[in-house]
Amino acid sequence: MKIGIFGYGNLGRGVEKAVLKNNDTELVGIFTRRDPSSISTLTGAPVYSANEVEKFKDIIDVMILCGGSATDLVHQSPSLVSLFHIVDSFDTHAKIPEHFATVNAIAKESGKIGIISCGWDPGMFSLARVYSEAILPDGTDYTFWGPGVSQGHSDAIRRIEGVLDARQYTVPVPSSVELAKSGSRPTLTTREKHTRDCYVVAKEGADLKKIEKEIKEMPNYFADYDTTVTFVSMEELKEKHASLPHGGVVIRSGITSEGNNQTIEYRLNLDSNPEFTGSVLLACARAATRLAAEGVKGAKTILDLPPSALSPKSPEELRAHSL
Amino acid sequence: MKIGIFGYGNLGRGVEKAVLKNNDTELVGIFTRRDPSSISTLTGAPVYSANEVEKFKDIIDVMILCGGSATDLVHQSPSLVSLFHIVDSFDTHAKIPEHFATVNAIAKESGKIGIISCGWDPGMFSLARVYSEAILPDGTDYTFWGPGVSQGHSDAIRRIEGVLDARQYTVPVPSSVELAKSGSRPTLTTREKHTRDCYVVAKEGADLKKIEKEIKEMPNYFADYDTTVTFVSMEELKEKHASLPHGGVVIRSGITSEGNNQTIEYRLNLDSNPEFTGSVLLACARAATRLAAEGVKGAKTILDLPPSALSPKSPEELRAHSL
């Protein structure tokens, strides 16, 4: 399958690396809104201006969109699905129905498939929730994120006056994870589920106490959590906090009859969040080509894709060796 | 949806309990080869002779087959899929392609759907393997079973002369599970992965040393494992080893680029193996009715079913709340 990457940040590079691991895949080009000549790619794949994308209408099977949800995907997904099958990682949970409807209308018209909201949450974690709830209707779901870097929370700290750079780790509270698995089906508050660890580089002479207070009291982001703030040098941040690990666990604890607890746990432990997300997007791109070959069009999510469609193996091979 | 249960052992009772937890489901009847009047059901559901099943052709939507693979399902699945959509838990891995082909041919003719090999392995564990491999092609799979009761191994011990009853627990070796998750992608031998713990009730005067030796040296079942044998009284077996817990974990450890390990873990911790399996079968029965409404016919496995088809919720609800 011939793919394009639209947007070349961390996620775009993650998809590029995933192409190297999937030998049924050819990367035709990377599309950017920056000056293409300013970009050197990891694999030497050609870089084109985003304005040129229409020329690739008959060359690229699936365009994988690697922009952010808020300002990029809301526009890019509807626009590009008029030309290509697309896969995106739209992750503003509350706006998924609206995004789905927009992409669906255009994709039905263009005869393309638009698989939205792929990745791990939404994505693999959504799958874990839906399968588990279907099997254990009398149960309770728990999703814990981390330990891992939250880009949104790191950005929120960076916007505080006097802050040069920051990295925020979301950390599940181990005793709460154990409690969720215990079968007691506890109600856990936001504060009980996660703590937030912040590593902050301040400008010289900045008021550290004030920065710490502003972080800890920031509504939505930190106020409801037990937050620790550690000031570090720029060198230390770059040395010790450069990578983007993440992960988490989805737990469903339910009963099938009085006294018979059943627990399902789906856990990810990721050294690189963007590379893992990129790998999920690539597997979904494969599913897009499979469904397209059957005449399917319109918007889909990972919940609509037969699992076998994500695999490079044939259904016969899967039944013989993986079932 | 109106379902029937064909076969009323542990698994049949598990499906019956699952019906109580799924309010979109009605249990029309339980079918048995025994004398129906000799059976009292957990829920008061009516019991019919297996010979009467054809009368229910237009009444039951999905027949859930609860017999064993070796002697029951090989015949019953092809026979019943000529009358109903069916779901079975055929678990002889090596014979799945053959079973699929047989059921597929008859189902295509009758216009029905036959979902074979549902449960947790094959079933949910197969899903974990297929999704994980599609996302992390450069990786290694590990499946650990237990701690839990293996019916096949318990039966094998019961066939030994001098044994009255037995219960065999399959136990994953904790250090090997940790190693599988470590990212080092070890090659683990059969002996390194699981131990086998046997609780055996011997006849009075039986040669215990001989029984222990026969168990430990039994080819395929025990010879390749570190096995412990504990002789207990019938009372102790009934008191402490009456339930059928099981579970296990599927791990995929892979890399997306040099040095970036990614680990996916799917874990089940089940107080009751047959009740959990029954719950999976019921969710698959729902998928059968959904696919049938779209005109699908023929044999399927859980790898072919869109995840949303297993859920009682609509795709819109799932996108809004579970994605």
Side-chain angles (χ1 to χ4, degrees):
Chain A
M1 78 183 149
K2 297 184 182 205
I3 70 145
I5 294 175
F6 201 89
Y8 195 61
N10 285 326
L11 181 55
R13 281 188 288 273
V15 174
E16 189 183 9
K17 286 183 181 168
V19 170
L20 297 175
K21 298 290 185 189
N22 285 274
N23 51 27
D24 61 345
T25 310
E26 184 194 334
L27 176 54
V28 175
I30 291 166
F31 297 83
T32 179
R33 285 171 302 184
R34 290 176 278 167
D35 173 7
S37 69
S38 72
I39 291 172
S40 72
T41 62
L42 298 167
T43 59
V47 184
Y48 302 101
S49 162
N51 302 322
E52 292 182 273
V53 74
E54 202 163 343
K55 293 181 197 160
F56 292 83
K57 187 174 166 12
D58 299 318
I59 301 169
I60 286 172
D61 297 319
V62 188
M63 187 65 77
I64 301 183
L65 279 63
C66 298
S69 299
T71 54
D72 300 327
L73 299 176
V74 280
H75 308 297
Q76 291 170 357
S77 298
S79 157
L80 289 168
V81 83
S82 68
L83 302 169
F84 310 97
H85 304 307
I86 64 155
V87 174
D88 80 22
S89 65
F90 188 83
D91 66 356
T92 313
H93 286 261
K95 293 191 174 169
I96 287 174
E98 191 185 327
H99 187 63
F100 184 91
T102 311
V103 171
N104 191 44
I106 297 173
K108 291 255 171 168
E109 216 168 281
S110 66
K112 300 294 179 186
I113 294 179
I115 307 181
I116 66 154
S117 301
C118 305
W120 58 274
D121 197 359
M124 301 312 297
F125 273 15
S126 320
L127 281 175
R129 288 188 286 262
V130 168
Y131 276 123
S132 301
E133 188 186 16
I135 297 169
L136 298 175
D138 186 356
T140 308
D141 265 346
Y142 301 89
T143 302
F144 293 91
W145 296 275
V149 172
S150 163
Q151 308 261 36
H153 288 79
S154 301
D155 288 343
I157 300 173
R158 285 188 203 105
R159 285 191 294 264
I160 292 173
E161 208 194 305
V163 171
L164 283 175
D165 203 353
R167 202 66 113 194
Q168 193 268 185
Y169 295 89
T170 307
V171 183
V173 175
S175 59
S176 294
V177 176
E178 288 313 306
L179 213 56
K181 288 159 66 171
S182 70
S184 66
R185 291 163 70 176
T187 303
L188 298 169
T189 63
T190 298
R191 191 176 299 275
E192 285 168 336
K193 288 183 71 187
H194 297 92
T195 53
R196 299 200 174 276
D197 295 349
C198 312
Y199 294 85
V200 181
V201 183
K203 280 188 190 143
E204 231 186 280
D207 183 344
L208 303 188
K209 283 243 178 308
K210 188 161 166 274
I211 291 173
E212 182 168 346
K213 188 166 182 290
E214 264 193 68
I215 295 173
K216 290 187 171 176
E217 294 178 358
M218 196 185 298
N220 301 319
Y221 284 88
F222 294 101
D224 299 332
Y225 298 85
D226 289 336
T227 302
T228 59
V229 176
T230 307
F231 289 97
V232 295
S233 67
M234 190 60 94
E235 292 66 40
E236 189 177 338
L237 193 83
K238 286 195 170 148
E239 200 188 302
K240 294 191 185 160
H241 305 283
S243 64
L244 294 168
H246 218 313
V249 60
V250 174
I251 294 162
R252 188 162 182 97
S253 170
I255 60 166
T256 47
S257 71
E258 193 57 36
N260 275 338
N261 290 314
Q262 318 273 20
T263 313
I264 306 174
E265 188 182 334
Y266 182 80
R267 183 182 291 273
L268 298 174
N269 196 340
L270 311 176
D271 278 356
S272 166
N273 180 358
E275 289 182 17
F276 186 81
T277 303
S279 298
V280 177
L281 294 181
L282 197 67
C284 290
R286 180 179 294 118
T289 65
R290 293 275 176 79
L291 293 184
E294 294 172 11
V296 174
K297 56 189 180 177
K300 299 282 165 195
T301 76
I302 202 165
L303 303 175
D304 306 311
L305 310 177
S308 58
L310 278 71
S311 169
K313 295 183 177 168
S314 70
E316 291 74 20
E317 271 181 288
L318 292 176
R319 280 195 294 274
H321 304 295
S322 302
L323 194 65
Chain B
M1 78 183 150
K2 294 180 185 212
I3 70 145
I5 294 174
F6 201 90
Y8 196 60
N10 285 327
L11 180 56
R13 281 188 288 272
V15 174
E16 188 183 10
K17 287 183 180 168
V19 170
L20 296 176
K21 298 290 184 189
N22 286 274
N23 51 27
D24 61 344
T25 310
E26 184 193 334
L27 176 55
V28 174
I30 292 165
F31 297 83
T32 179
R33 286 172 301 185
R34 290 175 278 167
D35 173 7
S37 68
S38 72
I39 290 171
S40 71
T41 62
L42 298 167
T43 59
V47 184
Y48 303 101
S49 163
N51 302 322
E52 292 182 272
V53 74
E54 203 164 342
K55 292 181 196 161
F56 291 83
K57 185 175 167 11
D58 300 316
I59 302 170
I60 286 172
D61 297 318
V62 188
M63 187 65 79
I64 301 183
L65 279 64
C66 298
S69 299
T71 53
D72 300 328
L73 298 176
V74 280
H75 308 296
Q76 291 170 357
S77 298
S79 157
L80 289 168
V81 83
S82 68
L83 302 169
F84 311 97
H85 304 308
I86 65 154
V87 174
D88 80 23
S89 65
F90 188 84
D91 66 355
T92 313
H93 286 261
K95 292 191 174 167
I96 287 175
E98 191 184 328
H99 187 63
F100 184 91
T102 312
V103 171
N104 191 43
I106 297 173
K108 291 257 170 168
E109 215 167 281
S110 65
K112 300 294 180 186
I113 294 179
I115 307 181
I116 67 155
S117 301
C118 305
W120 59 274
D121 198 357
M124 300 315 296
F125 273 15
S126 320
L127 281 175
R129 288 187 286 261
V130 168
Y131 276 123
S132 301
E133 189 187 15
I135 297 169
L136 298 175
D138 185 357
T140 308
D141 265 345
Y142 302 89
T143 302
F144 293 91
W145 296 274
V149 172
S150 164
Q151 308 261 35
H153 288 79
S154 301
D155 288 343
I157 300 173
R158 285 189 202 105
R159 286 191 292 265
I160 293 173
E161 208 192 305
V163 171
L164 283 175
D165 203 353
R167 201 66 113 195
Q168 193 268 185
Y169 294 88
T170 307
V171 183
V173 175
S175 59
S176 294
V177 176
E178 289 312 307
L179 213 56
K181 288 160 65 170
S182 70
S184 65
R185 291 164 69 176
T187 303
L188 298 169
T189 64
T190 298
R191 191 175 299 275
E192 285 167 334
K193 287 183 71 187
H194 297 92
T195 53
R196 299 200 174 276
D197 295 349
C198 312
Y199 294 85
V200 181
V201 184
K203 279 187 189 143
E204 231 186 279
D207 183 342
L208 302 188
K209 284 243 177 308
K210 187 161 166 275
I211 291 173
E212 182 168 345
K213 187 166 183 291
E214 263 193 69
I215 294 173
K216 290 187 170 176
E217 294 177 357
M218 196 185 298
N220 302 320
Y221 285 88
F222 294 101
D224 299 332
Y225 299 85
D226 290 336
T227 302
T228 58
V229 176
T230 308
F231 289 97
V232 295
S233 68
M234 190 60 93
E235 291 66 40
E236 189 176 339
L237 194 82
K238 287 195 168 147
E239 200 187 304
K240 294 190 184 161
H241 305 283
S243 63
L244 294 168
H246 219 313
V249 61
V250 175
I251 294 163
R252 188 161 182 99
S253 170
I255 59 165
T256 47
S257 71
E258 193 58 37
N260 275 339
N261 290 315
Q262 318 273 21
T263 313
I264 306 173
E265 189 183 334
Y266 181 80
R267 184 182 289 274
L268 296 175
N269 195 340
L270 310 175
D271 278 358
S272 166
N273 180 359
E275 289 183 16
F276 186 81
T277 302
S279 298
V280 177
L281 294 180
L282 197 67
C284 290
R286 181 179 294 118
T289 64
R290 294 273 176 80
L291 294 183
E294 294 173 10
V296 174
K297 55 190 180 178
K300 299 283 165 194
T301 75
I302 202 165
L303 304 176
D304 306 311
L305 310 177
S308 57
L310 278 71
S311 169
K313 294 183 177 168
S314 70
E316 290 75 19
E317 273 181 287
L318 291 176
R319 281 196 294 274
H321 303 295
S322 303
L323 194 66

